[in-house]
Structures are given as structure tokens and as C-alpha cells.
Amino acid sequence: MKHEHPNKQRMEEIRAALDAHPGSVAYRRWDTLRRSLTALYGNLGELQGLLLAPTTNFLLAAQLAGNMHLHVQRRFTDELDRRLLNFGSSAHALVDISRRIVGLYEGTAFLDEYEERRQPLSCDAPRFLRDLRNFLQHYSVAPLRYQIELPTGQPPHRFNLDLDRDALLRWDGWSSGVRRYLETGPEYVPILEHVADYAAKVRSLYDWVMAQFVVLHTDDVEAANVLVTDYNRALTGREDWERENLSRFHPEADPEVASHLGDRDQPPSAYPASR
């Protein structure tokens, strides 16, 4: 037989108040932002790790740049396609979620500074990566070029993993600024440099953004935590225990003790020394 918690109604009242509390609402919003940012950082780490692998692994670099290891090239290229798409999707998601959440602070110094700090991510180079996601989703796979250089004829080597600019420009979906950026840029676009630049800029911005939650909502969260404490006290029965013990041990509640206390307005010396 299922037993109902004796404080069920009290707990439901507290939970309803907690769910609607400004501190809880703010926490849920910013946790959405945190989770979106975590997804982006994870995808960025995977993408950068793959792009860096041939720069330190001479055998892999030679296999990718040569024409005798097509199975290695295929596996690497397939994995790079996956990671580029994952990165691009999470970057777009972060932009949309940030716009929704940060936009709620219209008219505040926080929003003004956010708009100023995000400007480096609005330049054509970072925007190229965001547009690249649309290219990959709606037009074609990444037009990759692998090239190995041996300045002294032997390792250490230099490995270039680039995107063919002319192949990219066959798509008419680039934003006007990015198209101009591609048209005036090098014939081969160094993807690793773009990803590293984007990673540095996004971390700089969001390290600051996430630190602002405490500045903006400390009072709200502290007030919400009072309700959390109340809920836990009701859940564990501590409220009932405290109420029972206050009633049990309060002097006025015990007639025998009260009879020996006399007039409460008398100074302590008027109390009997012993019974």
C-alpha cells in the first residue's frame, strides 16, 4: 500500500513557490546557456584535436598527403566532416540561446558590455565558420586539401589542411561580408587557424558572460535557497520535529516548570534557587 508523505501539501506549496521564484527562473535560463556552451566546447575540442593530429604525427601526415593510403584519407575525412558539422551546429545553437537569454537584460550595463565584447565574433573570419555550417548542411561536403612540407627534407614537418576557396565560392549562400572575405583571401583557407581563432574569441567572451550570473542574481538565488531549505526540512520532517520540541520544552508549556518560574517580569534573583 502506498503511503502519502505527511507533509505532501506543504512540500507541494514550497515547490510551486520555488519553481516560480526569480532565482529559480534565472538559474534555469543560465543553466541552459551553460549546457549549450559546454556542448560547443566539447565539439571544439574534438575538432581541434583531429586537425592538430597530422601536424605532430608525421606518418599520418604523409599518408593523408600521399596517394597510396586512400583508406586512411577516407576515415580521416569522414571524421572531419562529422566534427565540422557538430561544431557548426553547436556554434549556431549557442548564438541563438545567447540572443534569447542575454536579450532579457535590455537596458542594463550587462547587455551594453556584452554587445561590445562580442564584436570580435562578428568579424568576417569567425562568421565564415558559422556560414560554413550552412554550406555543409545545404550544399556540399568540405573541399579539403592535404599538403605536407619538409623544409629540410625530413621531419619535423609542416602539415597544411585547407579548404579550397574556389570550391567554396560556388555556393551562393554566403553572407555578403563572408563572400567578400573569401574572394579577397588566399586560394586555400587554413581551417585550423580559423578554428583556433574562433575558440580563443568565444572563450574570452563567455568566461566573462558566465561570471556575470553571480553579479546579476546573487540575491535572487540566495532567496530561492531559503525555499530549498524549507523544502528539505519538510521532506525530512525537521519542521515537525522542531515544532514538537519547541512545544515540549518551552517553559510555559509545562505547568510544573511554569509554577516554579513565578512572575516572568521578576529579575532572575527572584527565581527559586532550587526546587
Side-chain angles (χ1 to χ4, degrees), residues 161-237:
L161 197 168
D162 306 314
L163 301 177
D164 186 320
R165 179 198 62 190
D166 293 339
L168 293 173
L169 285 172
R170 295 191 187 107
W171 184 49
D172 60 6
W174 300 105
S175 58
S176 58
V178 172
R179 173 167 285 277
R180 285 193 302 271
Y181 173 75
L182 290 172
E183 289 173 343
T184 58
E187 181 181 2
Y188 295 102
V189 182
I191 185 66
L192 178 57
E193 292 180 20
H194 280 279
V195 172
D197 177 70
Y198 174 88
K201 285 181 170 64
V202 80
R203 285 186 181 277
S204 176
L205 173 62
Y206 282 93
D207 282 353
W208 175 82
V209 168
M210 299 310 293
Q212 301 314 299
F213 177 76
V214 175
V215 177
L216 295 166
H217 293 291
T218 292
D219 292 343
D220 290 334
V221 171
E222 288 181 353
N225 281 334
V226 172
L227 291 175
V228 174
T229 300
D230 289 344
Y231 182 89
N232 289 333
R233 290 170 67 238
L235 175 65
T236 60

Side-chain angles (χ1 to χ4, degrees), residues 51-83:
L51 292 172
L52 284 168
T55 68
T56 57
N57 185 326
F58 175 73
L59 177 60
L60 175 61
Q63 290 175 334
L64 291 175
N67 57 10
M68 298 179 62
H69 301 276
L70 296 181
H71 63 289
V72 175
Q73 295 174 358
R74 182 175 294 121
R75 288 202 306 270
F76 187 92
T77 300
D78 289 348
E79 186 61 16
L80 183 56
D81 287 340
R82 182 184 73 83
R83 296 190 188 191

